[in-house]
Amino acid sequence: MTDSTSISFTTSNRGKRLLIYSGYIFRLKKSTMKVKYWACHSDGCVANVHTDKNDHFIKSNGQHHHMPEPKQIELRNLKRKVKERVKTETSSIPQIYKEELARSNLSSTALTLASTATAGKSGLNRVRRKTTPTIPTSTEFDIPEFYSQTLDGTQFVCTDKIIKKTRMILFATDTQLETLFSSEWIFLDGTFHSCPEQFQQIYTIHCLKFNQTWHNRFNNRVEKYHPNVWHFFECQKPEELLFCQQLGKLNAGIQKKTCNICISRKQIDTLTEQYEQEQITLTDFLYGLSTLVAKRSTKSL
Ligand SMILES: [Zn+2]
């Protein structure tokens, strides 16, 4: 049996210390030289706990007007562990969450609660942003995992190469490429002025599929001022998520056309190689890329 006076501590979402006592959560209400007064965190509940200044249990008073919340406590502990790791590690947030969930031995009720808690991931993203890596001033920098993946941890940086002393970073998930290569129409667009300053141009390739295009919305986002590369990299993530959600809806009603992604990738590589070896110009390269897309789209029609 656990000691009836045993107390433990956890952290609130805002980083405040919480006391746990016999299945209930208390927050610090007042502290004097000798005694800390902890009040039940449930609104209107009069139950409270007194500890000494070294957090040793003194006594508990009053009756709770509600049931204990052991599941909430399990969940809080899980969140605290995840948050700690998000602050100190560079692994992707979903990966950390998955690992801690597996390690946590949560009861099934708490597990159900935990899956809905992924909605709180934006809070974790905020924690991660506080530890943003140094802002690069040249094109020579490593892309941390956080910025090379989508919100759900899928590889987002598709190609990252130095071509004729110029760095080219291509963002696309396999699903996006597949959609692009099987679409009826494609649009190409380049912008210079909103580009992070150490790069020359942001070049976008959009597609029209099932009469659905992401062109304008995406462009508005891209054309905003980006103070640094991390800002730019990050702004694409919500777009990718939106793309997945919309594609999911579209595919639910329409049979997806499949195409061999490997062939497409190989052709992109060949083009890139030709450009690298200066066999073709940048315009030829971009044109080649677009005709490659167009050709594949026609085939799949
Ligand atoms: Zn209470």
Side-chain angles (χ1 to χ4, degrees):
M1 282 294 285
T2 47
D3 180 1
S4 65
T5 62
S6 86
I7 52 174
S8 59
F9 293 90
T10 185
T11 322
S12 76
N13 291 340
R14 290 182 181 163
K16 289 237 166 72
R17 217 156 163 246
L18 297 172
L19 180 146
I20 314 262
Y21 172 65
S22 64
Y24 291 96
I25 304 168
F26 298 82
R27 57 191 154 74
L28 185 64
K29 198 176 174 193
K30 195 173 93 177
S31 64
T32 63
M33 289 288 277
K34 284 183 182 162
V35 184
K36 287 182 183 172
Y37 300 90
W38 303 82
C40 176
H41 86 137
S42 177
D43 280 341
C45 181
V46 294
N48 61 78
V49 167
H50 295 185
T51 62
D52 67 14
K53 64 176 168 46
N54 298 318
D55 296 331
H56 294 125
F57 181 86
I58 300 175
K59 63 173 178 175
S60 71
N61 311 297
Q63 293 287 326
H64 292 275
H65 68 13
H66 54 100
M67 297 297 286
E69 303 162 291
K71 313 290 176 239
Q72 294 292 346
I73 295 169
E74 283 182 62
L75 197 59
R76 259 177 207 286
N77 285 333
L78 169 76
K79 278 188 183 170
R80 184 172 47 94
K81 276 184 205 149
V82 171
K83 210 164 170 178
E84 267 320 299
R85 288 189 54 193
V86 166
K87 264 189 222 167
T88 53
E89 295 176 26
T90 54
S91 316
S92 78
I93 294 172
Q95 185 58 32
I96 293 177
Y97 204 85
K98 226 161 54 189
E99 283 172 16
E100 285 305 321
L101 205 56
R103 210 174 283 168
S104 64
N105 284 324
L106 285 190
S107 60
S108 57
T109 324
L111 263 179
T112 321
L113 288 171
S115 63
T116 57
T118 13
K121 237 166 53 186
S122 61
L124 293 174
N125 275 321
R126 269 200 300 279
V127 172
R128 175 56 62 81
R129 267 202 294 276
K130 280 184 191 157
T131 55
T132 301
T134 333
I135 291 162
T137 49
S138 74
T139 56
E140 281 171 39
F141 57 86
D142 290 326
I143 307 175
E145 202 179 40
F146 176 68
Y147 291 101
S148 64
Q149 292 180 338
T150 63
L151 287 172
D152 75 349
T154 310
Q155 186 60 31
F156 199 16
V157 171
C158 154
T159 308
D160 183 1
K161 280 191 169 165
I162 310 277
I163 304 171
K164 284 193 254 176
K165 293 181 188 165
T166 306
R167 186 168 181 184
M168 183 185 79
I169 306 169
L170 191 62
F171 286 88
T173 62
D174 278 357
T175 317
Q176 286 181 324
L177 288 177
E178 207 170 288
T179 310
L180 185 68
F181 291 136
S182 64
S183 65
E184 294 91 347
W185 290 86
I186 58 140
F187 304 94
L188 307 169
D189 205 353
T191 172
F192 298 92
H193 72 274
S194 60
C195 190
E197 58 184 14
Q198 66 268 54
F199 287 91
Q200 285 168 358
Q201 189 181 14
I202 299 172
Y203 198 83
T204 55
I205 305 179
H206 312 261
C207 67
L208 179 72
K209 195 176 167 74
F210 311 138
N211 289 323
Q212 184 73 236
T213 175
W214 290 272
H215 185 79
N216 286 338
R217 209 197 118 92
F218 182 71
N219 260 21
N220 285 340
R221 208 174 257 266
V222 164
E223 287 193 349
K224 283 213 176 94
Y225 170 68
H226 303 290
N228 59 66
V229 281
W230 303 141
H231 184 275
F232 173 65
F233 287 6
E234 217 176 339
C235 94
Q236 302 184 65
K237 292 188 181 197
E239 286 308 303
E240 192 275 336
L241 182 67
L242 184 83
F243 159 81
C244 287
Q245 289 166 343
Q246 291 189 335
L247 187 71
K249 279 186 208 157
L250 290 170
N251 284 339
I254 303 162
Q255 186 69 42
K256 209 166 95 185
K257 293 169 187 165
T258 52
C259 86
N260 193 337
I261 199 80
C262 299
I263 295 176
S264 310
R265 272 189 181 279
K266 208 173 268 173
Q267 285 172 320
I268 292 179
D269 285 347
T270 314
L271 266 175
T272 314
E273 210 177 288
Q274 287 176 339
Y275 178 54
E276 267 175 327
Q277 291 164 3
E278 301 191 25
Q279 292 166 356
I280 53 173
T281 65
L282 176 64
T283 321
D284 290 340
F285 172 67
L286 291 172
Y287 182 74
L289 212 57
S290 44
T291 48
L292 163 68
V293 171
K295 205 166 71 196
R296 291 209 56 80
S297 312
T298 328
K299 262 187 208 163
S300 65
L301 273 176

